[in-house]
Amino acid sequence: MKPARTKTPRKPVGKKGSQTSLKDPVGVYCRVRPLSFPDQECCIEVINSTTVQLHTPEGYRLNRNGDYKETQYSFKQVFGTHTTQKELFDVVANHLVDDLIHGKNGLLFTYGVTGSGKTHTMTGSPGEGGLLPRCLDMIFNSIGSFQAKRYVFKSNDRNSMDIQCEVDALLERQKREAIPNPKTPSSKRQIDPEFADMINVQEFCKAEVDEDSVYGVFVSYIEIYNNYIYDLLEEVPFDPIKPKPLQSKLLREDKNHNMYVAGCTEVEVKSTEEAFEVFWKGQKKRRIANTHLNRESSRSHSVFNIKLVQAPLDADGDNVLQEKEQITISQLSLVDLAGSERTNRTKAEGNRLREAGNINQSLMTLRTCMEVLRENQMYGTNKMVPYRDSKLTHLFKNYFDGEGKVRMIVCVNPKAEDYEESMQVMRFAEVTQEVEVARPVDKAICGLTPGRRYRNHIRAGPVGDELLVTEVVLQSFPPLPSCEIMDINDEQTLPRLIEALEKRHQLRQMMIDEFTKQSFTFKGMLQEFDKGISNKEYSIQGKLNEKEKVISGQKLEIERLEKKTKTLEYKIEILEKTTTIYEEDKRNLQQELEAQNQKLQQQFSDKRRLEARLQGMVTETTMKWEKECERRVAAKQLEMQNKLWVKDEKLKQLKAIVTEPKTEKPERPSRERDREKATPRSVSPSPVPNAPPLRLRHRRSRSAGDRWVDHKPASNVQTETVMQPHVPHAITVSVANEKALAKCEKYMLTHQELASDGEIETKLIKGDVYKTRGGGQAVQFTDIETLKQESPTGRKRRSSTVAPAHPDGAESEWTDVETRCSVAVEMRAGSQLGPGYQHHAQPKRKKP
């Protein structure tokens, strides 16, 4: 049974110096495959034995400045294009097999893009066996003569092993041999020539084993396809009509919290050929397909498990110890990951597209787990690692949370087309080699005596040695004389024998004394040597204690520096992230500033165009108003000249009236008579030269076609004059408003004021209504009519107009005011025609 493992990330760390607290980083190696064609562009260069450099190929500009950039990545070791499979195995996998034989777990997987040489590295090719056949060869070279007989170890469904005695194993072997079972290959069968060259390894590799134990090797082969686990060694009954597909398997956890595939076939093998035959049988069932980048592209992740079972011999060294607790199980997992790929390059469709999506998703989950593990270990966080997001990471969860060596070979293709994928692979490798895994602990040794296996074979050895020593000692004594007595009276033989024996006795006594003396001397020397050794031990122990104190202090200093280093690295990472954020903000602000500058430039150009346009409009408007002002000034000057001329005429008429003698009262001339006998009077010359003849019209005829606003304020007094202003189609208002003005073209204001003689004077102020640009209305006043009421006494006028009438002739005589004012003159303000149009007014009747 496999002993319980320690989950280092979640359990408290043991005391300092204990082996459970030791961790090793994941060993990451890089292998660069050769280019397919010599003229292909290369983007990866091997700098030295631990460093490779990626440089941007032609046509790629990755950094923002548009320059070509070169990036270097470091590994535990880099293998160039000329590296052999033997060199790769000695560095990467040899130690994993050695740990497997000594009861420690290991994980080795290849990672890279499609077509980078992962399967070649793991499996190999004819004449160049990969890591897998070399691992099998080293295992069987080491345990070849110490293997247990078949079926002594028996696997169960709980990820452990059962052990049975020799008799039960013999019965099961006889039972299996009687029933042909193709699932268990025989080591006596001929090797398949298809893979014979792959397992023909010329180099001999061997590891030291425990001679007092027996071993058994079990292999299994699974694949993870579309995130489902399938057993490639499972025997499915052949049905030509309706083939039965493989059933997916489930992951379970044993009592030691190790993950395993439930119901997976485990085959016991006894040789390299037999084990590789089992592998090749499953390899034929593995899913591969032809893609745009690889003719035989792996569409699934494959896992080949080598399980080594070790059990000690009993006290006699003849049979396996029948104690299940003494069984040691170790496992080496060889993983060939499917290549990451981009669908726009592989031109995948349908099932291939779905397979690529699942492959990339599982690899992304593996990368996420590595990043979370690295963050937890470096910064002391306790984030949950998403192992369950993928069957691949869930299966190997115990390697990263428990103990065991983990090795990864990054396979890269240096061609320029794989530049972006290779860069992602390098970044993942950079993160992975910062993850630490607990170092495997040594297994407990059972309390049996070592050397049990060969004890019965060397029992006669000490007796022969003792006889040889006795024979050498006897040869150092003087020879004995002849002891044969032929005559009863012989008196020489016995005395000679006695003399020889006495000499031998003396010699023996001398040797004993010398031996005793030398033994005492040697004993004294030993005592002195012991004293010297004791003194040296004391001194060495003191020195060791001092060294241990120094080492403890150095370890504390190292731990403090490591914590400080991690803190500084964390701060550096935070600063890098902050710098990245600030750079992004800076770029955004620069872009915004450029946009604002462009907008301001656009507004400035629009403003300049508008200023030029307004300048033109202002110039045009200025010229227009200058002309208008000149026209208005000329009109005003003409109006004033007309007014002066009218006043001059009035004064002349008044002077004529005052100065002329009044002999008789003339008859009131009628309108018809005035028309018939219109004799011209001498008048002042008109200020307008060559004035056209005036056309007589009725005063109210101008309002016939226009609509008027008749503005009569509420404060006006109603007059009783006969002549009242009347405008047809007029809108009468007391207060001027915009609504009324919008409906009419003419405006008339009735204004009353008190004249100098005390009478009410009514003025009719008339004007034109214009629409303004702002949508309102404006009134421009054109002329004024005055209505006035006077007393008949004192020759005062009852009513008059603004201007006196023109006389028809110089010889006409005027008798009174009514006769003289029978002709009214209307003058329009701003007119260039001098006095207004002439028309005759009916004389007002006197009140009764």
Side-chain angles (χ1 to χ4, degrees):
M1 181 185 298
K2 198 171 185 177
R5 297 180 176 178
T6 303
K7 291 190 176 183
T8 53
R10 291 187 173 88
K11 289 191 176 182
V13 180
K15 63 181 180 178
K16 190 189 304 182
S18 63
Q19 196 171 6
T20 57
S21 64
L22 299 178
K23 290 185 177 183
D24 294 322
V26 176
V28 181
Y29 303 85
C30 178
R31 187 179 192 183
V32 182
R33 66 159 288 176
L35 290 171
S36 302
F37 304 101
D39 56 347
Q40 275 187 310
E41 184 182 2
C42 179
C43 66
I44 297 177
E45 180 183 359
V46 179
I47 302 299
N48 51 42
S49 60
T50 59
T51 308
V52 296
Q53 177 174 289
L54 261 72
H55 54 82
T56 311
E58 294 293 335
Y60 286 87
R61 296 272 180 130
L62 292 187
N63 54 343
R64 298 182 181 88
N65 295 330
D67 300 330
Y68 292 101
K69 69 175 184 178
E70 297 177 348
T71 311
Q72 291 187 357
Y73 296 93
S74 297
F75 297 90
K76 193 168 184 179
Q77 189 164 340
V78 176
F79 301 96
T81 56
H82 301 291
T83 303
T84 62
Q85 300 279 48
K86 174 66 168 57
E87 295 172 352
L88 182 67
F89 171 79
D90 290 340
V91 176
V92 179
N94 192 301
H95 299 290
L96 294 178
V97 176
D98 187 74
D99 289 343
L100 176 72
I101 294 174
H102 290 85
K104 301 174 183 178
N105 296 332
L107 171 64
L108 173 63
F109 61 95
T110 56
Y111 182 83
V113 301
T114 299
S116 59
K118 300 183 299 299
T119 304
H120 172 76
T121 299
M122 186 62 68
T123 307
S125 58
E128 289 186 331
L131 297 179
L132 190 148
R134 292 178 184 274
C135 289
L136 293 173
D137 188 69
M138 181 175 176
I139 291 171
F140 287 107
N141 288 340
S142 303
I143 67 170
S145 59
F146 303 107
Q147 292 189 67
K149 294 182 179 180
R150 200 183 294 271
Y151 306 121
V152 170
F153 299 111
K154 188 176 182 180
S155 63
N156 54 33
D157 293 335
R158 299 180 300 277
N159 198 29
S160 60
M161 286 289 171
D162 297 329
I163 188 170
Q164 53 188 1
C165 63
E166 291 286 345
V167 177
D168 294 338
L170 178 61
L171 293 175
E172 187 166 354
R173 284 198 301 272
Q174 292 175 354
K175 182 180 178 181
R176 296 291 182 93
E177 289 174 359
I179 303 173
N181 189 1
K183 182 169 65 175
T184 306
S186 174
S187 59
K188 298 179 181 180
R189 294 171 55 183
Q190 187 176 1
I191 302 176
D192 190 347
E194 190 175 0
F195 60 84
D197 292 338
M198 293 186 185
I199 61 176
N200 186 16
V201 180
Q202 301 295 330
E203 300 82 2
F204 184 82
C205 296
K206 185 178 180 180
E208 295 182 359
V209 297
D210 183 9
E211 296 179 350
D212 294 323
S213 300
V214 293
Y215 300 87
V217 180
F218 293 80
V219 296
S220 61
Y221 196 20
I222 64 171
E223 74 168 352
I224 302 175
Y225 176 72
N226 287 340
N227 209 26
Y228 289 96
I229 300 176
Y230 297 97
D231 184 7
L232 295 177
L233 302 181
E234 183 180 9
E235 294 294 335
V236 179
F238 178 71
D239 189 355
I241 299 176
K242 188 177 181 181
K244 186 178 180 181
L246 292 175
Q247 297 296 322
S248 61
K249 303 296 180 180
L250 299 177
L251 283 178
R252 297 191 184 277
E253 190 175 23
D254 63 9
K255 62 181 181 180
N256 295 324
H257 306 290
N258 295 323
M259 303 306 300
Y260 71 98
V261 180
C264 181
T265 305
E266 291 184 340
V267 181
E268 185 178 7
V269 291
K270 294 297 180 182
S271 64
T272 304
E273 294 79 6
E274 187 179 352
F276 200 81
E277 184 179 357
V278 174
F279 165 76
W280 198 255
K281 178 182 176 182
Q283 185 74 0
K284 291 181 178 180
K285 295 182 181 179
R286 189 181 175 189
R287 293 173 172 86
I288 61 174
N290 184 12
T291 65
H292 188 70
L293 298 181
N294 193 356
R295 187 169 57 86
E296 293 182 357
S297 175
S298 302
R299 313 309 297 168
S300 63
H301 309 300
S302 67
V303 182
F304 187 76
N305 290 317
I306 305 173
K307 188 177 290 186
L308 184 67
V309 186
Q310 178 182 356
L313 294 173
D314 56 9
D316 296 333
D318 295 331
N319 299 315
V320 181
L321 186 65
Q322 299 293 315
E323 293 182 10
K324 189 175 180 180
E325 292 77 10
Q326 295 296 332
I327 297 177
T328 302
I329 302 175
S330 56
Q331 180 174 295
L332 175 61
S333 298
L334 304 176
V335 184
D336 181 13
L337 297 177
S340 60
E341 58 187 30
R342 290 190 300 171
T343 54
N344 60 348
R345 293 191 60 206
T346 57
K347 310 298 181 184
E349 297 179 354
N351 291 334
R352 300 289 87 79
L353 183 61
R354 182 184 173 208
E355 292 166 359
N358 286 295
I359 291 170
N360 293 337
Q361 181 63 34
S362 61
L363 295 177
M364 182 62 67
T365 304
L366 176 62
R367 180 170 185 170
T368 304
C369 292
M370 292 296 180
E371 290 176 350
V372 176
L373 278 171
R374 169 180 169 270
E375 186 176 353
N376 289 343
Q377 293 173 2
M378 291 185 66
Y379 309 126
T381 58
N382 194 21
K383 292 184 179 180
M384 186 183 70
V385 184
Y387 291 116
R388 293 180 178 269
D389 290 353
S390 172
K391 293 287 176 41
L392 177 66
T393 54
H394 196 194
L395 177 61
F396 300 115
K397 167 181 175 292
N398 52 286
Y399 283 99
F400 298 102
D401 276 355
E403 61 183 24
K405 284 189 177 179
V406 181
R407 297 287 182 267
M408 182 175 76
I409 302 176
V410 175
C411 300
V412 292
N413 193 338
K415 64 179 182 179
E417 290 79 1
D418 290 349
Y419 172 75
E420 294 184 0
E421 290 86 348
S422 298
M423 180 179 291
Q424 298 298 327
V425 170
M426 294 294 182
R427 290 175 181 171
F428 171 67
E430 198 172 27
V431 173
T432 303
Q433 58 188 344
E434 295 180 359
V435 176
E436 295 181 344
V437 180
R439 184 179 297 177
V441 297
D442 294 329
K443 307 300 179 182
I445 302 174
C446 63
L448 299 176
T449 306
R452 301 182 299 278
R453 182 185 291 271
Y454 299 108
R455 180 180 300 171
N456 296 329
H457 301 285
I458 58 175
R459 287 179 181 175
V463 178
D465 295 341
E466 184 178 354
L467 293 175
L468 182 62
V469 173
T470 304
E471 190 174 333
V472 171
V473 172
L474 289 176
Q475 288 179 0
S476 63
F477 287 100
L480 291 174
S482 176
C483 299
E484 184 179 1
I485 299 176
M486 303 298 293
D487 189 4
I488 193 171
N489 297 320
D490 189 359
E491 296 179 355
Q492 296 180 356
T493 302
L494 289 177
R496 284 198 299 269
L497 179 60
I498 292 171
E499 185 181 0
L501 290 175
E502 287 179 353
K503 288 182 178 180
R504 283 200 171 198
H505 179 71
Q506 292 176 0
L507 183 61
R508 178 175 176 275
Q509 192 64 35
M510 290 175 61
M511 292 179 67
I512 290 173
D513 294 340
E514 183 68 21
F515 179 77
T516 304
K517 183 180 179 181
Q518 290 183 359
S519 65
F520 281 120
T521 304
F522 186 70
K523 187 176 181 179
M525 293 174 64
L526 285 177
Q527 290 177 353
E528 292 179 359
F529 186 72
D530 286 339
K531 290 180 181 179
I533 289 176
S534 299
N535 294 332
K536 288 184 178 179
E537 284 181 353
Y538 288 141
S539 62
I540 290 172
Q541 188 65 33
K543 292 180 180 179
L544 286 176
N545 292 334
E546 293 178 358
K547 293 294 184 182
E548 285 181 355
K549 290 181 181 178
V550 174
I551 290 172
S552 300
Q554 290 178 352
K555 285 183 178 179
L556 290 174
E557 183 67 18
I558 289 171
E559 289 181 357
R560 186 183 67 81
L561 292 175
E562 285 179 351
K563 290 181 180 179
K564 186 176 180 181
T565 303
K566 289 183 179 180
T567 305
L568 292 176
E569 288 177 353
Y570 182 66
K571 290 182 179 179
I572 289 171
E573 187 172 355
I574 292 176
L575 290 175
E576 287 178 352
K577 292 181 179 179
T578 307
T579 304
T580 304
I581 294 172
Y582 285 160
E583 287 179 353
E584 187 69 24
D585 293 342
K586 180 182 177 182
R587 278 196 306 275
N588 294 335
L589 291 175
Q590 286 179 350
Q591 293 176 359
E592 186 176 353
L593 181 62
E594 291 177 358
Q596 292 293 338
N597 288 333
Q598 292 178 359
K599 187 175 180 181
L600 287 175
Q601 291 178 359
Q602 183 68 27
Q603 291 179 353
F604 183 69
S605 60
D606 294 343
K607 183 179 178 182
R608 284 188 298 180
R609 287 196 297 270
L610 184 59
E611 286 179 353
R613 183 180 176 186
L614 290 176
Q615 188 68 28
M617 292 176 63
V618 167
T619 305
E620 183 181 354
T621 307
T622 303
M623 295 175 64
K624 179 179 178 182
W625 280 107
E626 286 178 354
K627 293 180 180 179
E628 182 67 21
C629 289
E630 291 177 356
R631 186 186 64 79
R632 289 187 181 183
V633 168
K636 194 68 176 178
Q637 290 177 354
L638 185 59
E639 180 183 357
M640 297 304 294
Q641 290 177 1
N642 291 339
K643 285 183 179 181
L644 290 175
W645 181 78
V646 170
K647 286 183 181 181
D648 191 19
E649 289 296 322
K650 285 182 180 181
L651 289 174
K652 287 182 180 181
Q653 292 177 7
L654 183 60
K655 184 178 180 180
I657 292 172
V658 173
T659 56
E660 284 179 0
K662 198 165 58 167
T663 57
E664 58 182 7
K665 187 176 182 180
E667 296 181 1
R668 178 187 290 266
S670 62
R671 188 180 298 273
E672 290 78 6
R673 185 180 303 171
D674 291 336
R675 292 177 180 173
E676 293 174 0
K677 298 179 180 180
T679 56
R681 290 183 60 187
S682 61
V683 295
S684 300
S686 174
V688 181
N690 300 326
L694 299 180
R695 180 171 53 88
L696 296 178
R697 63 183 181 88
H698 195 271
R699 283 285 297 167
R700 294 171 62 189
S701 63
R702 296 183 59 197
S703 62
D706 297 329
R707 197 169 185 186
W708 289 74
V709 175
D710 190 1
H711 183 187
K712 294 182 179 180
S715 59
N716 286 357
V717 179
Q718 185 68 28
T719 60
E720 297 179 357
T721 58
V722 176
M723 298 180 64
Q724 292 285 342
H726 174 69
V727 181
H729 307 295
I731 299 176
T732 304
V733 295
S734 60
V735 178
N737 56 71
E738 185 179 354
K739 185 177 181 181
L741 292 173
K743 296 179 180 180
C744 301
E745 294 82 14
K746 299 292 184 179
Y747 172 82
M748 182 176 68
L749 170 63
T750 304
H751 174 66
Q752 291 182 344
E753 62 181 5
L754 193 63
S756 59
D757 56 358
E759 297 292 337
I760 295 175
E761 186 179 41
T762 302
K763 292 184 178 182
L764 304 179
I765 304 172
K766 298 184 292 182
D768 297 331
V769 180
Y770 298 99
K771 289 185 179 181
T772 63
R773 291 185 178 181
Q777 286 77 28
V779 177
Q780 181 179 358
F781 294 104
T782 56
D783 58 4
I784 300 174
E785 292 185 7
T786 303
L787 298 177
K788 190 174 181 182
Q789 190 174 3
E790 295 180 357
S791 174
T793 60
R795 293 180 57 85
K796 293 184 180 179
R797 305 178 189 176
R798 288 183 63 112
S799 61
S800 65
T801 56
V802 177
H806 292 282
D808 294 333
E811 298 177 356
S812 299
E813 293 183 357
W814 304 94
T815 58
D816 56 4
V817 177
E818 293 180 359
T819 302
R820 293 177 182 276
C821 296
S822 61
V823 178
V825 178
E826 178 187 1
M827 182 186 71
R828 185 170 184 176
S831 176
Q832 299 179 359
L833 302 177
Y837 300 105
Q838 297 181 359
H839 63 87
H840 296 277
Q842 296 291 335
K844 296 182 179 179
R845 296 180 182 179
K846 295 181 180 180
K847 293 182 180 180

